[in-house]
Amino acid sequence: MSIPMTQLGSRAFHHEENPDVEREYDHLRDMARAEAQKRGDCFERSKRAYEDGDGARAKELSNQGKAHGAKVDEYNRQASEYIFRENNAPGRVDADSIDLHGQFVEEAERILEQRIRADQARGQTHLHAIVGKGNHSANHLQKLKPKVEELCRELGLSYSTEDNAGRIYINLQGGEPIPPQHGGYGGGNQDQGYQPHHGQQQGGQHRPPQQQHHQQQQQQQQEDDYDEGLLPLLLRKLEKACCTVM
């Protein structure tokens, strides 16, 4: 399935102003778009050649289109990994947070699901997903937030959405989604105003809400080796698990 070439916001780098980072990111996405245009042109010409009875030419053009499609995949993979690495560098987000700015929807879904499963396997209790408020998106429409919430429901995870819709707290081990007391950006103050949601099991069955009045404390410290261990692991997984566009 092809990843829609939709820019999610005017700024992919979600920290201090850094024209070099934005320039490199934009360059990679622009290269992907250029290859996508060439791919579409080849396929259109292939279709016309086939209709004209020139099967050999149609096949040649189709193969050229597929080659351009492979380059679309590669440039988008590079852009996704580059901006993920920049936005999630040590010191830019807390160890229990993940910044999805600059990702296409399908990319963000894949990255987040891998992170959720990795954190669950490590016994982590929660994850703080930074999705943005949609201020820079076309028509101010949020695209990452609904996908993150949908993924949580599919995985049966309870989550809380911040009132300004910029951050989502995900409970990884069951129970009520209690937001952390930091902001996810290297230890900033946490704004209050999260709205809790209970996830759904696959197939649409609602998870029974937890009835405990004494909520478990979910401020467990992350392993000290997070920065040195999980982030490189995720990047290696991304290289191996990058989806094929064609």
Side-chain angles (χ1 to χ4, degrees):
M1 180 182 295
S2 177
I3 294 178
M5 309 289 286
T6 303
Q7 178 71 29
L8 297 185
S10 60
R11 285 191 61 202
F13 185 58
H14 194 226
H15 302 278
E16 71 278 2
E17 292 285 344
N18 192 325
D20 291 338
V21 172
E22 293 287 349
R23 189 179 301 112
E24 176 63 15
Y25 172 81
D26 289 341
H27 171 70
L28 291 169
R29 291 300 194 191
D30 287 343
M31 293 290 286
R33 292 187 182 92
E35 291 297 332
Q37 185 174 1
K38 294 176 182 178
R39 176 185 60 189
D41 179 65
C42 285
F43 286 157
E44 180 61 29
R45 291 162 59 198
S46 174
K47 178 182 177 182
R48 291 199 301 267
Y50 180 81
E51 292 172 348
D52 291 340
D54 191 346
R57 179 59 174 165
K59 182 174 180 58
E60 178 185 357
L61 288 167
S62 177
N63 288 337
Q64 290 178 15
K66 292 177 181 178
H68 287 300
K71 292 182 179 179
V72 173
D73 284 350
E74 177 61 19
Y75 286 127
N76 275 329
R77 181 190 67 80
Q78 291 180 28
S80 172
E81 293 184 2
Y82 175 76
I83 202 62
F84 179 85
R85 184 167 59 249
E86 292 295 333
N87 279 328
N88 292 274
R92 288 178 177 161
V93 294
D94 291 302
D96 59 356
S97 301
I98 183 171
D99 192 335
L100 298 173
H101 279 83
Q103 304 294 334
F104 290 154
V105 172
E106 287 80 1
E107 295 168 344
E109 180 181 24
R110 181 178 67 251
I111 292 170
L112 180 59
E113 183 172 357
Q114 290 177 345
R115 172 66 179 268
I116 286 174
R117 296 191 185 282
D119 279 5
Q120 287 178 323
R122 289 163 57 89
Q124 309 295 2
T125 60
H126 63 271
L127 179 63
H128 203 193
I130 303 168
V131 298
K133 296 181 286 185
N135 291 340
H136 302 293
S137 299
N139 300 320
H140 300 288
L141 294 177
Q142 290 181 293
K143 297 179 181 179
L144 293 186
K145 174 179 173 289
K147 178 56 67 174
V148 170
E149 294 176 335
E150 178 185 339
L151 178 62
C152 289
R153 291 191 294 269
E154 289 176 354
L155 297 178
L157 299 175
S158 297
Y159 61 93
S160 295
T161 302
E162 192 180 8
D163 57 356
N164 70 4
R167 294 170 287 187
I168 298 176
Y169 171 81
I170 306 170
N171 189 310
L172 301 177
Q173 303 295 343
E176 293 289 343
I178 303 175
Q181 297 304 309
H182 57 72
Y185 301 91
N189 292 330
Q190 169 68 35
D191 293 332
Q192 300 301 315
Y194 280 80
Q195 297 299 320
H197 302 272
H198 292 288
Q200 293 179 329
Q201 302 286 0
Q202 293 184 2
Q205 298 298 320
H206 287 276
R207 289 170 56 111
Q210 301 293 327
Q211 300 299 325
Q212 301 174 350
H213 293 287
H214 175 67
Q215 298 295 342
Q216 295 179 347
Q217 293 297 319
Q218 296 179 341
Q219 303 302 315
Q220 175 180 324
Q221 293 293 324
Q222 306 302 307
E223 284 84 350
D224 292 336
D225 64 346
Y226 173 81
D227 287 337
E228 298 179 358
L230 183 55
L231 185 58
L233 176 62
L234 287 174
L235 292 176
R236 290 197 298 271
K237 286 186 176 181
L238 280 175
E239 292 181 353
K240 295 180 180 179
C242 182
C243 64
T244 300
V245 173
M246 290 299 296

Short mmCIF file of all heavy atoms in Angstrom, two decimals, residues 95-142:
data_model
loop_
_atom_site.label_atom_id
_atom_site.label_comp_id
_atom_site.label_asym_id
_atom_site.label_seq_id
_atom_site.Cartn_x
_atom_site.Cartn_y
_atom_site.Cartn_z
N ALA A 95 12.36 9.68 28.73
CA ALA A 95 12.57 8.28 28.36
C ALA A 95 11.26 7.53 28.16
O ALA A 95 11.22 6.52 27.45
CB ALA A 95 13.41 7.58 29.42
N ASP A 96 10.17 8.00 28.78
CA ASP A 96 8.89 7.32 28.63
C ASP A 96 8.00 8.02 27.60
O ASP A 96 6.78 7.85 27.61
CB ASP A 96 8.16 7.23 29.97
CG ASP A 96 7.90 8.61 30.58
OD1 ASP A 96 8.36 9.62 29.99
OD2 ASP A 96 7.24 8.68 31.63
N SER A 97 8.60 8.79 26.69
CA SER A 97 7.85 9.54 25.70
C SER A 97 8.37 9.23 24.30
O SER A 97 9.51 8.80 24.13
CB SER A 97 7.96 11.05 25.95
OG SER A 97 7.46 11.38 27.23
N ILE A 98 7.51 9.47 23.32
CA ILE A 98 7.89 9.30 21.92
C ILE A 98 7.27 10.44 21.13
O ILE A 98 6.08 10.73 21.25
CB ILE A 98 7.44 7.92 21.37
CG1 ILE A 98 7.92 7.74 19.93
CG2 ILE A 98 5.94 7.74 21.48
CD1 ILE A 98 7.71 6.33 19.42
N ASP A 99 8.08 11.12 20.32
CA ASP A 99 7.64 12.27 19.54
C ASP A 99 7.42 11.81 18.10
O ASP A 99 8.36 11.36 17.44
CB ASP A 99 8.68 13.38 19.60
CG ASP A 99 8.16 14.70 19.05
OD1 ASP A 99 7.24 14.67 18.21
OD2 ASP A 99 8.67 15.76 19.45
N LEU A 100 6.19 11.95 17.60
CA LEU A 100 5.83 11.47 16.28
C LEU A 100 5.72 12.58 15.24
O LEU A 100 5.23 12.35 14.13
CB LEU A 100 4.51 10.69 16.35
CG LEU A 100 4.54 9.45 17.24
CD1 LEU A 100 3.15 8.85 17.38
CD2 LEU A 100 5.51 8.41 16.68
N HIS A 101 6.17 13.77 15.57
CA HIS A 101 6.12 14.87 14.61
C HIS A 101 6.92 14.51 13.36
O HIS A 101 7.98 13.90 13.44
CB HIS A 101 6.69 16.15 15.23
CG HIS A 101 5.72 16.89 16.08
ND1 HIS A 101 5.49 16.55 17.39
CD2 HIS A 101 4.89 17.93 15.80
CE1 HIS A 101 4.59 17.38 17.91
NE2 HIS A 101 4.21 18.22 16.96
N GLY A 102 6.40 14.95 12.20
CA GLY A 102 7.09 14.75 10.95
C GLY A 102 6.83 13.42 10.28
O GLY A 102 7.28 13.17 9.16
N GLN A 103 6.08 12.53 10.96
CA GLN A 103 5.79 11.23 10.39
C GLN A 103 4.49 11.27 9.59
O GLN A 103 3.54 11.95 9.95
CB GLN A 103 5.65 10.17 11.51
CG GLN A 103 6.85 10.06 12.41
CD GLN A 103 8.08 9.55 11.70
OE1 GLN A 103 7.99 8.84 10.69
NE2 GLN A 103 9.26 9.90 12.21
N PHE A 104 4.46 10.52 8.49
CA PHE A 104 3.19 10.27 7.82
C PHE A 104 2.38 9.34 8.72
O PHE A 104 2.93 8.65 9.59
CB PHE A 104 3.40 9.63 6.45
CG PHE A 104 4.02 10.56 5.43
CD1 PHE A 104 4.75 10.05 4.37
CD2 PHE A 104 3.86 11.93 5.53
CE1 PHE A 104 5.31 10.90 3.42
CE2 PHE A 104 4.41 12.79 4.58
CZ PHE A 104 5.13 12.27 3.53
N VAL A 105 1.07 9.31 8.52
CA VAL A 105 0.19 8.57 9.43
C VAL A 105 0.60 7.11 9.51
O VAL A 105 0.71 6.53 10.60
CB VAL A 105 -1.28 8.71 8.98
CG1 VAL A 105 -2.17 7.79 9.81
CG2 VAL A 105 -1.75 10.15 9.13
N GLU A 106 0.83 6.48 8.37
CA GLU A 106 1.19 5.06 8.37
C GLU A 106 2.53 4.83 9.04
O GLU A 106 2.75 3.82 9.72
CB GLU A 106 1.20 4.52 6.94
CG GLU A 106 -0.18 4.33 6.33
CD GLU A 106 -0.77 5.64 5.83
OE1 GLU A 106 -0.09 6.69 5.93
OE2 GLU A 106 -1.92 5.62 5.34
N GLU A 107 3.45 5.76 8.86
CA GLU A 107 4.75 5.65 9.51
C GLU A 107 4.60 5.76 11.02
O GLU A 107 5.20 4.97 11.77
CB GLU A 107 5.68 6.75 9.00
CG GLU A 107 6.03 6.64 7.53
CD GLU A 107 6.70 7.88 6.98
OE1 GLU A 107 6.62 8.95 7.63
OE2 GLU A 107 7.28 7.81 5.89
N ALA A 108 3.82 6.74 11.46
CA ALA A 108 3.62 6.93 12.90
C ALA A 108 2.97 5.70 13.53
O ALA A 108 3.35 5.28 14.63
CB ALA A 108 2.75 8.16 13.14
N GLU A 109 2.01 5.12 12.84
CA GLU A 109 1.33 3.93 13.37
C GLU A 109 2.32 2.78 13.53
O GLU A 109 2.33 2.10 14.57
CB GLU A 109 0.19 3.52 12.45
CG GLU A 109 -0.57 2.30 12.93
CD GLU A 109 -1.68 1.90 11.97
OE1 GLU A 109 -1.59 2.25 10.77
OE2 GLU A 109 -2.63 1.23 12.42
N ARG A 110 3.15 2.57 12.54
CA ARG A 110 4.12 1.47 12.60
C ARG A 110 5.13 1.69 13.72
O ARG A 110 5.43 0.79 14.52
CB ARG A 110 4.83 1.34 11.26
CG ARG A 110 5.84 0.20 11.21
CD ARG A 110 6.49 0.09 9.84
NE ARG A 110 7.34 1.23 9.53
CZ ARG A 110 7.05 2.15 8.62
NH1 ARG A 110 5.91 2.10 7.96
NH2 ARG A 110 7.89 3.15 8.37
N ILE A 111 5.67 2.91 13.79
CA ILE A 111 6.67 3.22 14.81
C ILE A 111 6.08 3.08 16.22
O ILE A 111 6.70 2.50 17.11
CB ILE A 111 7.21 4.65 14.60
CG1 ILE A 111 8.03 4.72 13.31
CG2 ILE A 111 8.06 5.09 15.79
CD1 ILE A 111 8.39 6.13 12.90
N LEU A 112 4.88 3.61 16.41
CA LEU A 112 4.27 3.58 17.73
C LEU A 112 3.95 2.15 18.16
O LEU A 112 4.17 1.79 19.32
CB LEU A 112 3.00 4.43 17.74
CG LEU A 112 2.26 4.49 19.08
CD1 LEU A 112 3.16 5.05 20.17
CD2 LEU A 112 0.99 5.32 18.96
N GLU A 113 3.43 1.34 17.25
CA GLU A 113 3.10 -0.04 17.63
C GLU A 113 4.37 -0.80 18.01
O GLU A 113 4.37 -1.57 18.99
CB GLU A 113 2.38 -0.76 16.49
CG GLU A 113 1.97 -2.17 16.88
CD GLU A 113 1.08 -2.84 15.85
OE1 GLU A 113 0.72 -2.19 14.84
OE2 GLU A 113 0.72 -4.02 16.06
N GLN A 114 5.45 -0.59 17.28
CA GLN A 114 6.71 -1.24 17.64
C GLN A 114 7.18 -0.79 19.02
O GLN A 114 7.65 -1.60 19.82
CB GLN A 114 7.78 -0.92 16.59
CG GLN A 114 7.54 -1.60 15.26
CD GLN A 114 8.56 -1.20 14.20
OE1 GLN A 114 9.29 -0.22 14.38
NE2 GLN A 114 8.62 -1.95 13.12
N ARG A 115 7.04 0.50 19.29
CA ARG A 115 7.46 1.03 20.59
C ARG A 115 6.58 0.47 21.71
O ARG A 115 7.09 0.10 22.78
CB ARG A 115 7.40 2.56 20.57
CG ARG A 115 7.63 3.22 21.91
CD ARG A 115 9.05 3.02 22.45
NE ARG A 115 9.19 3.70 23.74
CZ ARG A 115 9.62 4.95 23.87
NH1 ARG A 115 9.99 5.65 22.80
NH2 ARG A 115 9.72 5.50 25.06
N ILE A 116 5.29 0.42 21.49
CA ILE A 116 4.38 -0.11 22.50
C ILE A 116 4.75 -1.55 22.85
O ILE A 116 4.86 -1.93 24.02
CB ILE A 116 2.92 -0.02 22.03
CG1 ILE A 116 2.43 1.43 22.08
CG2 ILE A 116 2.01 -0.92 22.87
CD1 ILE A 116 1.05 1.64 21.49
N ARG A 117 4.94 -2.37 21.83
CA ARG A 117 5.24 -3.78 22.08
C ARG A 117 6.61 -3.94 22.75
O ARG A 117 6.78 -4.80 23.63
CB ARG A 117 5.17 -4.57 20.78
CG ARG A 117 3.77 -4.58 20.16
CD ARG A 117 3.63 -5.57 19.03
NE ARG A 117 2.33 -5.48 18.39
CZ ARG A 117 1.22 -6.00 18.87
NH1 ARG A 117 1.24 -6.65 20.04
NH2 ARG A 117 0.08 -5.90 18.21
N ALA A 118 7.57 -3.12 22.36
CA ALA A 118 8.89 -3.19 22.99
C ALA A 118 8.81 -2.78 24.45
O ALA A 118 9.40 -3.42 25.34
CB ALA A 118 9.88 -2.30 22.23
N ASP A 119 8.07 -1.70 24.74
CA ASP A 119 7.94 -1.25 26.12
C ASP A 119 7.18 -2.25 26.97
O ASP A 119 7.51 -2.47 28.14
CB ASP A 119 7.24 0.11 26.16
CG ASP A 119 8.19 1.27 25.87
OD1 ASP A 119 9.36 0.99 25.55
OD2 ASP A 119 7.76 2.43 25.96
N GLN A 120 6.14 -2.86 26.41
CA GLN A 120 5.39 -3.88 27.16
C GLN A 120 6.29 -5.06 27.50
O GLN A 120 6.24 -5.58 28.61
CB GLN A 120 4.18 -4.33 26.35
CG GLN A 120 3.05 -3.32 26.30
CD GLN A 120 1.90 -3.79 25.45
OE1 GLN A 120 2.09 -4.45 24.40
NE2 GLN A 120 0.68 -3.49 25.85
N ALA A 121 7.11 -5.47 26.55
CA ALA A 121 8.02 -6.59 26.79
C ALA A 121 9.03 -6.26 27.87
O ALA A 121 9.50 -7.15 28.60
CB ALA A 121 8.73 -6.98 25.49
N ARG A 122 9.39 -4.99 28.01
CA ARG A 122 10.34 -4.55 29.03
C ARG A 122 9.66 -4.28 30.37
O ARG A 122 10.33 -3.93 31.33
CB ARG A 122 11.04 -3.28 28.55
CG ARG A 122 12.01 -3.49 27.41
CD ARG A 122 12.36 -2.16 26.72
NE ARG A 122 12.89 -1.18 27.65
CZ ARG A 122 14.19 -1.05 27.94
NH1 ARG A 122 15.07 -1.86 27.38
NH2 ARG A 122 14.61 -0.12 28.77
N GLY A 123 8.34 -4.41 30.42
CA GLY A 123 7.62 -4.19 31.67
C GLY A 123 7.30 -2.74 31.96
O GLY A 123 6.95 -2.39 33.10
N GLN A 124 7.39 -1.86 30.95
CA GLN A 124 7.05 -0.46 31.17
C GLN A 124 5.55 -0.31 31.42
O GLN A 124 4.74 -1.06 30.88
CB GLN A 124 7.46 0.39 29.96
CG GLN A 124 8.90 0.18 29.50
CD GLN A 124 9.92 0.64 30.52
OE1 GLN A 124 9.57 1.09 31.62
NE2 GLN A 124 11.18 0.53 30.19
N THR A 125 5.19 0.65 32.23
CA THR A 125 3.79 0.81 32.61
C THR A 125 3.02 1.77 31.73
O THR A 125 1.80 1.68 31.65
CB THR A 125 3.71 1.33 34.06
OG1 THR A 125 4.38 2.60 34.15
CG2 THR A 125 4.35 0.34 35.02
N HIS A 126 3.72 2.71 31.09
CA HIS A 126 3.00 3.72 30.33
C HIS A 126 3.89 4.29 29.23
O HIS A 126 5.11 4.09 29.24
CB HIS A 126 2.53 4.86 31.24
CG HIS A 126 3.65 5.61 31.88
ND1 HIS A 126 4.21 5.23 33.10
CD2 HIS A 126 4.37 6.69 31.46
CE1 HIS A 126 5.19 6.06 33.40
NE2 HIS A 126 5.33 6.96 32.42
N LEU A 127 3.27 4.99 28.31
CA LEU A 127 3.99 5.66 27.23
C LEU A 127 3.27 6.98 26.93
O LEU A 127 2.04 7.04 26.90
CB LEU A 127 4.02 4.79 25.97
CG LEU A 127 4.72 5.39 24.75
CD1 LEU A 127 6.21 5.62 25.04
CD2 LEU A 127 4.57 4.45 23.55
N HIS A 128 4.05 8.01 26.72
CA HIS A 128 3.54 9.35 26.47
C HIS A 128 3.79 9.67 25.00
O HIS A 128 4.92 9.91 24.59
CB HIS A 128 4.29 10.33 27.37
CG HIS A 128 3.56 11.59 27.62
ND1 HIS A 128 4.17 12.69 28.17
CD2 HIS A 128 2.28 11.96 27.40
CE1 HIS A 128 3.30 13.68 28.29
NE2 HIS A 128 2.16 13.26 27.83
N ALA A 129 2.74 9.64 24.16
CA ALA A 129 2.87 9.89 22.73
C ALA A 129 2.63 11.37 22.43
O ALA A 129 1.58 11.91 22.76
CB ALA A 129 1.88 9.03 21.94
N ILE A 130 3.60 12.01 21.80
CA ILE A 130 3.50 13.42 21.43
C ILE A 130 3.07 13.49 19.98
O ILE A 130 3.82 13.10 19.08
CB ILE A 130 4.85 14.12 21.64
CG1 ILE A 130 5.31 13.95 23.09
CG2 ILE A 130 4.75 15.59 21.28
CD1 ILE A 130 6.75 14.36 23.33
N VAL A 131 1.86 13.97 19.74
CA VAL A 131 1.28 13.96 18.39
C VAL A 131 1.04 15.36 17.84
O VAL A 131 0.72 15.51 16.66
CB VAL A 131 -0.04 13.16 18.38
CG1 VAL A 131 0.21 11.72 18.77
CG2 VAL A 131 -1.07 13.79 19.32
N GLY A 132 1.15 16.39 18.65
CA GLY A 132 0.91 17.75 18.17
C GLY A 132 -0.55 18.12 18.21
O GLY A 132 -1.43 17.28 18.40
N LYS A 133 -0.81 19.40 18.03
CA LYS A 133 -2.17 19.94 18.10
C LYS A 133 -2.78 20.21 16.74
O LYS A 133 -3.90 20.68 16.64
CB LYS A 133 -2.18 21.22 18.93
CG LYS A 133 -1.78 21.00 20.38
CD LYS A 133 -1.81 22.28 21.18
CE LYS A 133 -0.63 23.17 20.83
NZ LYS A 133 -0.57 24.38 21.69
N GLY A 134 -2.06 19.94 15.68
CA GLY A 134 -2.59 20.18 14.34
C GLY A 134 -2.55 21.63 13.91
O GLY A 134 -3.14 21.98 12.88
N ASN A 135 -1.84 22.48 14.65
CA ASN A 135 -1.81 23.90 14.31
C ASN A 135 -1.19 24.17 12.95
O ASN A 135 -1.56 25.12 12.27
CB ASN A 135 -1.04 24.68 15.38
CG ASN A 135 -1.78 24.72 16.70
OD1 ASN A 135 -2.99 24.52 16.75
ND2 ASN A 135 -1.06 24.97 17.78
N HIS A 136 -0.23 23.33 12.55
CA HIS A 136 0.47 23.56 11.30
C HIS A 136 -0.04 22.68 10.16
O HIS A 136 0.45 22.79 9.04
CB HIS A 136 1.97 23.32 11.50
CG HIS A 136 2.57 24.17 12.57
ND1 HIS A 136 2.68 25.54 12.45
CD2 HIS A 136 3.07 23.87 13.78
CE1 HIS A 136 3.24 26.04 13.54
NE2 HIS A 136 3.49 25.04 14.36
N SER A 137 -1.01 21.83 10.44
CA SER A 137 -1.51 20.94 9.41
C SER A 137 -2.50 21.67 8.51
O SER A 137 -3.07 22.69 8.88
CB SER A 137 -2.20 19.72 10.05
OG SER A 137 -1.28 18.99 10.83
N ALA A 138 -2.71 21.10 7.33
CA ALA A 138 -3.67 21.69 6.41
C ALA A 138 -5.04 21.75 7.05
O ALA A 138 -5.54 20.76 7.58
CB ALA A 138 -3.72 20.86 5.12
N ASN A 139 -5.66 22.93 7.02
CA ASN A 139 -6.98 23.16 7.61
C ASN A 139 -7.02 22.85 9.10
O ASN A 139 -8.08 22.65 9.68
CB ASN A 139 -8.05 22.33 6.88
CG ASN A 139 -8.14 22.67 5.41
OD1 ASN A 139 -8.05 23.84 5.03
ND2 ASN A 139 -8.30 21.65 4.57
N HIS A 140 -5.82 22.80 9.73
CA HIS A 140 -5.70 22.53 11.17
C HIS A 140 -6.34 21.18 11.55
O HIS A 140 -6.83 21.02 12.66
CB HIS A 140 -6.34 23.66 11.99
CG HIS A 140 -5.69 24.99 11.75
ND1 HIS A 140 -4.44 25.31 12.22
CD2 HIS A 140 -6.12 26.07 11.05
CE1 HIS A 140 -4.12 26.54 11.85
NE2 HIS A 140 -5.11 27.03 11.13
N LEU A 141 -6.33 20.23 10.62
CA LEU A 141 -6.90 18.92 10.90
C LEU A 141 -5.84 18.00 11.49
O LEU A 141 -4.76 17.84 10.92
CB LEU A 141 -7.46 18.30 9.61
CG LEU A 141 -8.66 19.01 8.98
CD1 LEU A 141 -9.05 18.32 7.68
CD2 LEU A 141 -9.84 19.04 9.93
N GLN A 142 -6.15 17.43 12.63
CA GLN A 142 -5.23 16.50 13.26
C GLN A 142 -5.32 15.15 12.56
O GLN A 142 -6.41 14.66 12.28
CB GLN A 142 -5.56 16.34 14.73
CG GLN A 142 -5.24 17.57 15.56
CD GLN A 142 -5.56 17.34 17.00
OE1 GLN A 142 -6.71 17.19 17.35
NE2 GLN A 142 -4.55 17.30 17.84
#
